[in-house]
Amino acid sequence: MNRRHLISTTALLVMSGSVWAQAYPNRVVKLQVPFAPGGTTDIVARVIAEPLGKALGQSVVVENKAGGGGVVGANETAKSAPDGYSLGVATVSTTAANPAINPKIPYNPITDFTPIINIAATPNVIAVHPSFPAHDYKGFVAELKKNPGRYSYSSSGTGGIGHLQTELWKSLAGVFITHIPYRGAGPALNDTVAGQVPIIFDNMPSAMPFIQTGKLIPIVVAAPQRLPQLPNVPTFKEVGLEPVNRMAYYGIYGPKNLPKEVIEKVSAGVKKALQDPAVAKRIQDTGSLVVGNSPEEFAAQIKAEYEVYKKVVDQQKLKLD
């Protein structure tokens, strides 16, 4: 190969790389939700998908892939091609709680993904069916202590944040209730609202509509302070259980080795979407807080949360059901 040919080839490669970067995305982008429709992860994903698509200039299509407390969908995202067309919604369940309790998780939550941006921080809530004998925290705990093993609670799945936070709360509160795992918050909510399971530990966005209509009664929330939407409901910190007072996160990530151009475009697109007052209001109306941090900050957040739940699992000797 002569020098002129080498220079031409190098120039072509540089130009093609530049064109690729400018062209992304040139087709539909998939945003995978690792839970069934109807839960908080699904709600946040659908709120951000349309404005993100407008910012990127291509449609962003939400796909649900439930199973294994979020593991099935998260693993598919981890194993997808690192081209920016298969992204996923990162949750505490899939990147921290489930990996902390399940030694058979097929991915490493720290090394097998490229964190891009945290969209929102979401309070969690323990709520009960209206038929439950107590509708305040003190009475709730008293009823459970009076009848150990009589009641059960639903969650979005074994190893999810609802499961681990409830187990942590149980150990600190000195109560026993049986865990009933589902394939997502949507199905768990449906059975709790129907009265088939009396208690649920869920995220505020998916639980709030049922709380607002009186189909669920909020007992205690995991949030920095009382929520404006639920001014009479105490936080876990207020009832003396600050270790349980942890919010969930809902962000976007992709498989490891995502190109820098993809990270920057998706991050910028989400930030632009979050600057829209209408989009921000839809998120805030669910009880969530808008975040929109950097890829580096989100990566550090995921690592820190994983370490917290790993410590919880080890200290409480929690194991899969």
Side-chain angles (χ1 to χ4, degrees), residues 174-305:
V175 301
F176 178 76
I177 49 178
T178 302
H179 179 220
I180 309 294
Y182 286 80
R183 291 173 61 85
L189 277 162
N190 289 339
D191 273 10
T192 309
V193 169
Q196 296 182 35
V197 184
I199 305 166
I200 188 169
F201 195 122
D202 191 31
N203 308 126
M204 283 301 304
S206 47
M208 183 64 85
F210 299 104
I211 291 173
Q212 290 173 329
T213 56
K215 295 178 180 178
L216 288 176
I217 307 299
I219 300 297
V220 59
V221 298
Q225 58 272 324
R226 291 197 181 198
L227 302 176
Q229 300 91 335
L230 303 174
N232 298 319
V233 181
T235 67
F236 281 101
K237 182 177 180 179
E238 286 182 76
V239 300
L241 301 176
E242 188 169 3
V244 194
N245 210 48
R246 309 191 65 80
M247 294 203 296
Y249 53 69
Y250 298 91
I252 293 180
Y253 63 179
K256 63 182 179 182
N257 299 324
L258 272 185
K260 182 180 179 181
E261 294 84 359
V262 171
I263 299 170
E264 290 176 346
K265 283 196 172 184
V266 174
S267 177
V270 172
K271 287 181 178 178
K272 182 177 180 181
L274 294 177
Q275 288 170 359
D276 182 338
V279 174
K281 185 177 186 301
R282 288 181 65 191
I283 292 175
Q284 291 163 347
D285 283 349
T286 67
S288 301
L289 308 175
V290 173
V291 179
N293 59 7
S294 71
E296 294 77 18
E297 289 170 333
F298 191 30
Q301 186 176 8
I302 289 173
K303 183 178 180 181
E305 204 70 9

Side-chain angles (χ1 to χ4, degrees), residues 307-321:
E307 291 173 352
V308 164
Y309 281 103
K310 192 71 178 75
K311 187 175 181 180
V312 168
V313 168
D314 293 341
Q315 287 182 341
Q316 305 301 330
K317 295 180 172 56
L318 298 178
K319 294 182 179 180
L320 293 177
D321 294 340

